[in-house]
């Protein structure tokens, strides 16, 4: 990625542009060997975006194949590989690192007034480990792929002839990247907070990312050992998960979901983190229930570890365990609801500015609530027996996990874009793309809820003809979604080079990261930071920053309603 | 500065005592393993191992004078190991017996090898 | 920056040459390094935790096999290995102790002793593996040990080889780290005011010891 050069049309007679993190050093070397958390964040963002488009491509191919009940564009074997690759790429290469390693890296140190993360070299190493894992996985995909689904259930994954070993090792390696980032953030939050920034003054983004990091550190090693055992089993046949030698595939599922269920919260907690920043900024109002939101993040992180067994309701797990896990799973809903109520409470009587990030918040809260409620339904054992492994489950987790993460990713991208590059995008196009994405997402997955409830199983290549109408509807929605992403790609690329320049704080946010120039200088701030106000504080009189015109469609927004208050 | 105080008052005595305690525990657990203690043998072996582990953690790894977060980290790690073991074992103990793996065909069990 | 100003005001110390720019003072830097290491050790504990889970799972299913197979492991060797690792942990703390009181020569000697015992452990265990290989006491489909026919015996050996194998890999990595630390200590990189890498290397080594303390009764003394 090159630094955006100042274009002659938008630069007035400013003699010298101050040096920022993008142009203080130039050349490929200065990027590849950087220890600057902002550059590492951007490099992660570039990679996860590439992964998003790759995974999206697989998704489109799956949807096109499912247009007709029989073969449309690919054979059944190719189809099996396609949905596996879609899952692996989207989960390990996009959703897990997207917000923590990308946006978290960029803004978390700035939010606590630090110059960098605690271990900058480990941070860079994390990016290289991610690349190495991705290379392993991609090599496996090119040379045969895997057809097990991203869950790698044994005994099939240990007996299939496809290339599961490199993909498993890829997941193993990427796990270390995740752990490195998690350790880095936990230590950063503990040791590098600016003077006066106590735990109860931390921005909610930091709280949520902190909770995410705890899960990353505690859960990922179990995935590491599980995929390692599976790879060993596939390569040498030690029998640890093989019933023929006394092994139990259910043990694999226990260990796999001990990581992979909390991993859902590795994906969705950062999404909640982003939204907790966006809601007060665009409602122009204090966050409602700061402590409730902060502590519920840690609550989700903790309770998320006690819920893994709800993936095993039909796997031969004991009914006692199923009951216990079912009940605990529902408790996660309580913590999530606490957050939802508090966000809505923040909006109440706010002076809402309907900008692009806020549009994504609307999509997010809708997907979270409906995805969450279907989740509570699925946690009911007797209902799950009907829905297990149908498209109902697919639609459920795409709503709550993918939808929430995607909305937050895009919201964060639009919200922090001015901070990252010092330029802004076209608000009109932003809203058009947001509508396309939200509409497309619903059009894709609402039919899948219906399909699943009618009994269409997941991962099947063909289906009875009466399911075709809903499948076509779903594919049509997916095309809308793809079109929305391409729109975003185009206008953000244009904005990167030709967007209007912005000042320090275009959104008029009270977040600490906006105190630095846009784009920030190498060591983040040009003056010592003072944390004299709580985060998300819009009530104190006098020094409240207002939203700037360049990010709000060029219209004055602090008109009558602002004065009346 | 705590660090420099360390250097002045640094004594090897706690290390020597810990080492002797560890050796004693090792011999003890080895001796007890050769006696038939029935159901208690496992609990005793684990208790001794925990005592040894705790002294390594507290004195060799200096956790006794570390700040809170480090202690919490280790405590949580052990808690989660116990969590994954406990909730998996309740499954084995309460499961419908026929859904448990039958064992190895090599040892003359009834299950034929799966092709 | 504000943090630096504050550090000077408190007069804790002047800029130590090892102080990285983004930390307030040496104390914070060491606290951060230690906390980072403890978090890493937590991930290691959980990595082994997965195997301990598999161990308890199959021990519950096949208690007879566990009893019989454990008897066929070389108990005196296990005892020797335990003493080896405990002693190496002891020499490790002594190495740090000698660095802190400024005796570099003894510190290097102790580190060398620790590394030697580490690799000695690998030798001892390699010998055990060799014997099990000869007997055919191997995991899964390779199992052809005639003496134990209890149900689930191959599973015991699968768990045994995976646990000790992963542990031995850690011993090997720890040994290499110790050799590097020996070299750096001999070069004079560490003294009473700065010994963080030694400290962290020591923590890792003690963890390896800690895991073995649990593996020994679980595998050899069932």
């Amino acid at each position: 990625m090159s630094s955006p050069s100042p274009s002659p049309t938008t630069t007035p007679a400013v003699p010298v542009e101050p040096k920022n993190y993008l142009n203080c050093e130039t050349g490929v070397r200065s990027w590849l060997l950087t220890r600057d958390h902002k550059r590492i964040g951007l490099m992660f963002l570039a990679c996860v975006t590439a992964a998003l488009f790759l995974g999206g491509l697989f998704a489109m191919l799956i949807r096109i194949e499912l247009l007709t009940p029989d073969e449309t564009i690919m054979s059944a074997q190719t189809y099996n590989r396609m949905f596996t690759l879609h899952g692996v790429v989207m989960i390990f290469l996009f959703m897990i690192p997207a917000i923590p390693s990308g946006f978290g890296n960029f803004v978390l140190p700035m939010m606590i007034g630090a110059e960098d993360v605690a271990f900058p070299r480990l941070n860079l190493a994390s990016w290289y480990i991610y690349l190495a894992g991705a290379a392993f996985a991609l090599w496996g995909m090119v040379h045969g792929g895997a057809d097990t689904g991203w869950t790698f259930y044994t005994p099939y994954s240990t007996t299939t002839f496809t290339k599961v070993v490199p993909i498993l090792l890829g997941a193993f390696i990427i796990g270390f990247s995740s752990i490195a980032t998690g350790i880095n953030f936990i230590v950063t939050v503990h040791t590098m907070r600016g003077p006066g920034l106590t735990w109860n003054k931390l921005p909610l983004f930091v709280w949520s990312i902190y909770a995410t990091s705890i899960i990353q550190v505690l859960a990922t090693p179990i995935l590491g050992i599980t995929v390692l055992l599976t790879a060993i089993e596939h390569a040498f046949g030690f029998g640890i998960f093989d019933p023929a030698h006394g092994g139990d595939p259910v043990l694999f599922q226990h260990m796999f979901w001990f990581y992979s269920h909390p991993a859902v919260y590795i994906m969705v907690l950062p999404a909640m983190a982003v939204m907790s920043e966006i809601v007060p900024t665009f409602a122009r109002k204090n966050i409602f229930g700061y402590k409730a939101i902060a502590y519920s993040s840690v609550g989700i992180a903790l309770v998320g570890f006690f819920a893994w067994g709800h993936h095993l309701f039909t796997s031969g797990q004991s009914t006692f365990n199923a009951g216990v896990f079912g009940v605990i799973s529902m408790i996660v809903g309580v913590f999530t609801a606490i957050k939802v109520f508090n966000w809505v409470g923040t909006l109440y009587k706010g002076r809402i500015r309907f900008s692009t990030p806020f549009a994504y918040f609307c999509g997010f809260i809708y997907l979270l609530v409906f995805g969450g409620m279907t989740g509570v339904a699925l946690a009911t054992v007797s209902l799950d027996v009907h829905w297990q492994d149908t498209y109902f489950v697919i639609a459920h987790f795409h709503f709550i996990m993918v939808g929430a993460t995607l909305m937050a990713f895009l919201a964060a991208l639009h919200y922090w874009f001015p901070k990252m590059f010092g330029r802004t995008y076209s608000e009109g196009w932003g809203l058009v793309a947001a509508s396309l994405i939200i509409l497309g997402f619903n059009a894709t997955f609402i039919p899948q809820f219906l399909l699943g409830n009618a009994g269409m199983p997941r991962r099947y290549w063909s289906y009875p003809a009466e399911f075709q109408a809903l499948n076509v509807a779903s594919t049509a929605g997916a095309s809308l979604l793809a079109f929305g992403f391409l729109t975003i790609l185009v206008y953000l690329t244009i904005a990167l080079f030709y967007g209007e320049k912005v000042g320090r704080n275009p959104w008029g946010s009270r977040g600490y990261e906006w105190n630095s120039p846009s784009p920030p200088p190498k060591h983040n701030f040009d003056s010592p930071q003072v944390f004299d106000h709580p985060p998300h504080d819009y009530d104190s009189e006098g020094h409240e920053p207002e939203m700037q015109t360049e990010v709000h469609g060029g219209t004055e927004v602090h008109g009558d309603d602002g004065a009346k208050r | 500065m705590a660090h420099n105080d360390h250097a002045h008052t640094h004594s090897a005595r706690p290390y020597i005592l810990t080492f002797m305690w560890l050796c004693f525990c090792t011999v003890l657990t080895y001796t007890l393993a050769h006696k038939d203690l029935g159901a208690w043998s496992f609990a005793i072996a684990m208790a001794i191992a925990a005592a040894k582990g705790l002294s390594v953690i507290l004195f060799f790894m200096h956790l006794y004078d570390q700040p809170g977060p480090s202690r919490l980290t280790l405590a949580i790690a052990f808690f989660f190991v116990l969590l994954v073991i406990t909730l998996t074992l309740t499954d084995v103990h309460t499961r419908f017996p026929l859904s448990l793996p039958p064992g190895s065909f090599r040892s003359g069990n009834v299950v034929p090898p799966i092709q | 920056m504000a943090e630096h100003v504050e550090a000077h005001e408190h007069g804790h110390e002047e800029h130590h040459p090892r102080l990285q720019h983004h930390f307030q003072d040496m104390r914070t830097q060491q606290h951060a390094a230690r906390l980072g290491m403890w978090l890493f050790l937590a991930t290691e504990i959980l990595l082994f935790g997965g195997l301990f889970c598999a161990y308890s799972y199959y021990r519950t299913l096949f208690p007879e096999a566990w009893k019989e197979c454990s008897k066929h492991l070389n108990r005196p060797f296990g005892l020797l290995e335990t003493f080896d690792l405990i002693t190496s942990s002891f020499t490790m703390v002594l190495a740090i102790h000698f660095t802190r009181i400024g005796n570099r020569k003894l510190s290097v000697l102790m580190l060398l002793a620790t590394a030697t015992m580490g690799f000695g452990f690998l030798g001892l265990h390699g010998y055990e593996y060799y014997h099990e290989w000869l007997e055919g006491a191997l995991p899964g489909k390779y199992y052809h040990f005639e003496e134990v026919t209890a149900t689930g015996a191959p599973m015991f050996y699968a768990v045994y080889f995976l646990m000790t194998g992963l542990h031995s890999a850690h011993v090997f990595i720890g040994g290499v780290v110790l050799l590097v630390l020996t070299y750096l200590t001999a070069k004079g990189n560490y003294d009473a005011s700065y010994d963080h890498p030694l400290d962290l290397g020591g923590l890792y080594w003690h963890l390896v010891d800690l895991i073995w303390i649990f593996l020994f009764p679980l595998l050899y003394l069932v």
Side-chain angles (χ1 to χ4, degrees):
Chain A
M1 196 169 298
S2 70
S3 58
S5 55
S7 70
T9 49
T10 53
T11 338
V14 180
V16 188
E17 197 184 356
K19 287 279 181 198
N20 59 47
Y21 78 103
L22 289 166
N23 60 15
C24 63
E25 290 165 284
T26 49
V28 178
R29 233 180 104 88
S30 78
W31 280 89
L32 291 183
L33 296 179
T34 184
R35 291 183 206 167
D36 184 346
H37 67 99
K38 299 183 288 300
R39 286 190 168 199
I40 296 170
L42 282 195
M43 297 198 295
F44 261 116
L45 278 183
C47 291
V48 298
T49 310
L52 173 66
F53 277 92
L54 183 65
L57 178 71
F58 290 137
M60 265 332 281
L61 292 172
I62 293 170
R63 282 317 321 166
I64 292 171
E65 168 54 38
L66 290 175
L67 272 174
T68 61
D70 292 311
E71 180 163 337
T72 316
I73 53 165
M74 60 179 87
S75 68
Q77 183 56 245
T78 318
Y79 174 80
N80 287 350
R81 289 173 186 178
M82 220 40 99
F83 70 66
T84 306
L85 299 187
H86 168 68
V88 169
V89 169
M90 281 300 200
I91 285 177
F92 293 114
L93 296 181
F94 172 67
M95 283 206 293
I96 287 177
I99 296 177
S101 301
F103 294 108
N105 243 327
F106 196 99
V107 295
L108 184 130
M110 298 177 70
M111 281 183 168
I112 61 172
E115 283 182 21
D116 209 322
V117 290
F119 311 117
R121 269 182 296 185
L122 183 68
N123 202 12
L124 181 64
S126 167
W127 184 67
Y128 279 106
I129 297 169
Y130 169 84
L131 281 192
F136 250 90
L138 288 173
W139 184 84
M141 290 174 197
V142 173
H143 290 266
D147 58 352
T148 59
W150 79 275
T151 47
F152 303 114
Y153 270 18
T154 55
Y156 185 64
S157 63
T158 54
T159 47
T160 173
F161 62 91
T162 51
K163 283 273 187 299
V164 280
V165 173
I167 296 180
L168 285 168
L169 288 180
F172 178 72
I173 295 169
I174 292 168
F176 282 104
S177 160
S178 187
I179 289 175
T181 305
I183 290 180
N184 226 332
F185 286 170
I186 293 179
V187 177
T188 306
V189 174
H190 271 280
T191 61
M192 307 198 58
R193 281 169 286 132
L197 189 59
T198 56
W199 282 88
N200 279 335
K201 273 168 89 178
L202 284 180
L204 287 168
F205 181 85
V206 178
W207 266 107
S208 258
I209 295 286
Y210 180 77
T212 310
S213 303
I214 294 177
I215 310 180
Q216 282 179 314
V217 168
L218 288 173
T220 317
I222 302 269
L223 173 81
I225 193 70
T226 312
V227 296
L228 199 62
L229 289 180
T230 314
I232 290 174
E233 180 77 29
H234 188 273
F236 305 111
F238 273 20
I240 193 100
F241 298 131
D242 184 355
H245 297 95
D248 190 353
V250 180
L251 176 64
F252 169 87
Q253 296 185 21
H254 275 298
M255 287 167 65
F256 180 82
W257 288 111
F258 182 82
Y259 165 77
S260 295
H261 188 70
V264 170
Y265 306 114
I266 295 181
M267 301 168 209
V268 85
L269 273 174
M272 294 167 164
V274 170
M275 290 312 170
S276 299
E277 292 295 315
I278 283 175
V279 168
T281 302
F282 291 90
R284 317 298 304 154
K285 193 162 158 269
N286 269 9
I287 191 83
F288 182 80
Y290 169 85
K291 281 192 182 170
I293 297 182
Y295 299 159
S296 65
S297 298
V298 183
I300 290 177
L302 186 69
V303 175
F305 274 100
F306 293 79
W308 81 82
H310 64 225
H311 296 270
L312 285 75
F313 283 165
T314 61
S315 302
Q317 182 187 230
S318 76
T319 41
F320 170 77
N321 259 38
V324 170
F325 280 125
V327 171
I328 299 175
S329 305
M330 293 180 192
I331 297 176
V332 179
V334 175
F335 288 110
T336 312
I338 290 176
K339 282 177 185 282
V340 171
F341 287 138
N342 283 298
W343 288 323
V344 175
T346 308
L347 294 182
Y348 178 67
K349 286 197 173 170
R351 294 176 295 144
I352 294 168
R353 302 283 182 268
F354 205 94
S355 300
T356 313
F358 192 79
Y360 285 112
F361 168 74
C362 296
F364 166 84
I365 200 134
Y366 156 74
L367 291 174
L368 189 74
V369 166
F370 281 87
M373 289 197 304
T374 51
V376 174
L378 279 166
T380 316
V381 184
S382 48
L383 290 175
D384 184 73
V385 172
H386 172 61
W387 282 323
Q388 173 89 32
D389 277 340
T390 68
Y391 266 81
F392 192 87
V393 176
I394 302 284
H396 153 70
F397 75 72
H398 276 89
F399 253 54
I400 191 146
M401 176 174 108
V402 183
T405 310
L406 211 52
M407 295 299 141
F409 179 78
L410 294 171
L413 191 61
H414 288 86
Y415 180 58
W416 281 306
F417 188 88
K419 176 56 63 193
M420 289 176 162
F421 303 108
R423 288 168 187 276
T424 186
Y425 49 89
S426 150
E427 182 64 30
W429 279 108
L431 286 174
V432 168
S435 334
L436 275 177
I437 297 265
I438 295 169
L439 207 66
F441 202 88
N442 282 298
T444 312
F445 293 106
I446 288 175
Q448 295 190 10
F449 273 120
L450 303 175
L451 279 171
N453 199 36
M456 180 164 164
R458 70 192 287 195
R459 293 177 175 169
Y460 275 30
W461 175 70
S462 77
Y463 52 84
E466 65 258 33
F467 288 150
Q468 192 172 7
L470 283 170
N471 268 305
V472 171
S474 179
T475 304
S479 327
L480 266 186
L481 200 52
F483 191 64
F485 277 113
L486 291 177
T487 316
I488 295 176
L489 186 68
V490 171
Y491 75 73
L492 281 191
T493 312
I494 293 173
L496 201 57
F497 298 105
Y498 305 106
E500 196 182 338
K501 292 215 163 190
V502 294
R504 264 167 210 261
N505 194 355
W507 305 114
S509 168
R510 295 284 273 161
Y512 305 133
E513 77 274 22
W514 297 97
N515 290 340
S516 81
S518 311
K522 192 177 180 191
H523 290 319
N524 291 350
F525 296 101
D526 46 7
S527 60
Q529 290 302 294
V530 193
F531 299 91
D532 54 352
H533 62 86
H536 327 294
D537 168 27
Y538 294 85
D539 273 358
S540 37
E541 295 300 318
H543 47 49
E544 179 186 333
E546 262 305 342
M547 206 169 270
Q548 305 298 306
T549 50
E550 64 265 26
V551 292
H552 209 268
T555 52
E556 280 292 328
V557 290
H558 47 280
D560 47 353
D561 61 342
K564 250 186 279 175
R565 227 164 51 87
Chain B
M1 176 94 207
H3 193 94
N4 287 338
D5 296 348
H6 239 177
H8 296 307
T9 59
H10 214 266
S11 150
R13 179 194 286 261
Y15 300 148
I16 298 169
L17 289 177
T18 311
F19 177 61
M20 284 161 61
W21 165 245
L22 287 175
C23 290
F24 168 72
C25 285
T26 307
V27 174
L28 182 70
T29 191
Y30 189 78
T31 323
L32 288 181
H34 290 88
K35 300 207 161 57
D36 191 18
L37 299 169
W40 284 97
S41 65
F42 177 71
I44 291 173
M46 280 298 95
I48 295 176
K52 285 165 76 181
L54 201 63
S55 35
V56 168
I57 289 166
L58 286 180
F59 302 111
F60 281 0
M61 296 167 99
H62 271 273
L63 200 68
Y64 75 93
D65 62 356
Q66 293 292 298
S70 303
R71 297 184 197 184
L72 198 60
T73 304
L74 202 72
I76 291 176
F78 281 115
F79 173 72
F80 276 87
V81 172
L82 286 181
L83 174 73
V84 67
I85 292 176
T86 316
L87 280 180
T88 315
L89 282 190
T90 55
D91 177 26
V92 186
H93 280 290
T94 56
R95 209 188 282 175
F96 178 59
L98 286 182
S99 70
L100 289 168
S104 157
F105 66 90
R106 282 237 170 239
S107 57
N109 206 295
V110 283
V111 178
I114 294 170
Q115 291 306 316
Chain C
M1 293 304 299
E3 297 97 335
H4 292 171
V5 173
E6 198 190 42
H8 283 294
E9 274 170 3
H10 288 264
H12 274 166
E13 61 192 300
E14 293 305 302
H15 264 295
H16 194 281
R18 304 277 185 172
L19 181 65
Q20 288 172 313
H21 74 89
H22 56 284
F23 281 111
Q24 196 174 318
D25 50 34
M26 276 309 264
R27 203 173 162 181
T28 317
Q29 184 171 326
Q30 191 188 20
H31 174 45
R34 280 223 184 113
L35 181 57
M37 192 64 194
W38 278 108
L39 286 164
F40 174 70
L41 297 186
T43 68
E44 291 281 11
I45 290 172
L46 279 150
L47 189 76
F48 279 95
L51 283 175
F52 280 110
C53 176
Y55 172 92
S56 6
Y57 199 88
Y58 292 122
R59 182 171 171 168
T60 313
L61 287 178
F62 312 119
E64 287 310 309
W66 248 245
K67 267 217 168 70
E68 281 196 39
C69 294
S70 169
K71 287 207 180 87
H72 283 86
L73 294 184
N74 198 334
R75 279 188 178 178
F77 252 67
L79 186 69
L80 192 61
E81 285 159 5
T82 310
F83 275 120
D84 177 283
L85 278 190
I86 290 178
T87 315
S88 76
S89 250
F90 179 54
T91 52
M92 185 69 226
V93 287
L94 287 185
I96 297 175
H97 172 71
F98 287 128
T99 297
R100 284 195 184 149
I101 60 171
N103 193 335
R104 191 192 304 161
K105 229 177 224 162
L106 268 180
S107 181
V108 170
L109 198 69
M110 285 299 152
L111 280 170
L112 265 184
T114 314
T116 313
M117 280 184 264
F119 288 110
F121 174 89
L122 289 180
L124 289 172
H125 223 111
Y127 178 78
E128 276 195 70
Y129 283 160
Y130 174 67
H131 260 259
E132 276 134 18
W133 169 266
L134 289 184
E135 287 175 332
L138 295 169
K141 63 181 177 190
Y142 308 103
Y143 186 83
H144 55 270
F145 188 35
E146 304 297 335
E147 287 179 49
V148 181
T149 51
T151 306
M155 191 50 64
F156 175 84
Y157 283 101
V159 170
Y160 163 79
F161 273 97
L162 288 167
M163 287 181 116
T164 54
L166 189 67
H167 179 258
S168 296
H170 280 77
V171 173
F172 179 76
I173 294 168
V176 174
V177 169
L178 283 172
L179 287 181
V180 174
L181 286 174
T182 314
Y183 170 72
L184 292 177
T185 311
K187 240 179 69 180
N189 277 22
Y190 311 126
D191 54 40
S193 77
Y194 178 76
D195 60 358
H196 302 179
L198 216 51
D199 201 24
L200 303 186
L203 283 180
Y204 184 81
W205 190 253
H206 296 314
L207 181 89
V208 170
D209 181 26
L210 180 68
I211 304 272
W212 182 259
I213 284 177
F214 282 93
L215 285 186
F216 174 60
L218 285 177
L219 292 171
Y220 290 79
L221 308 176
V222 175

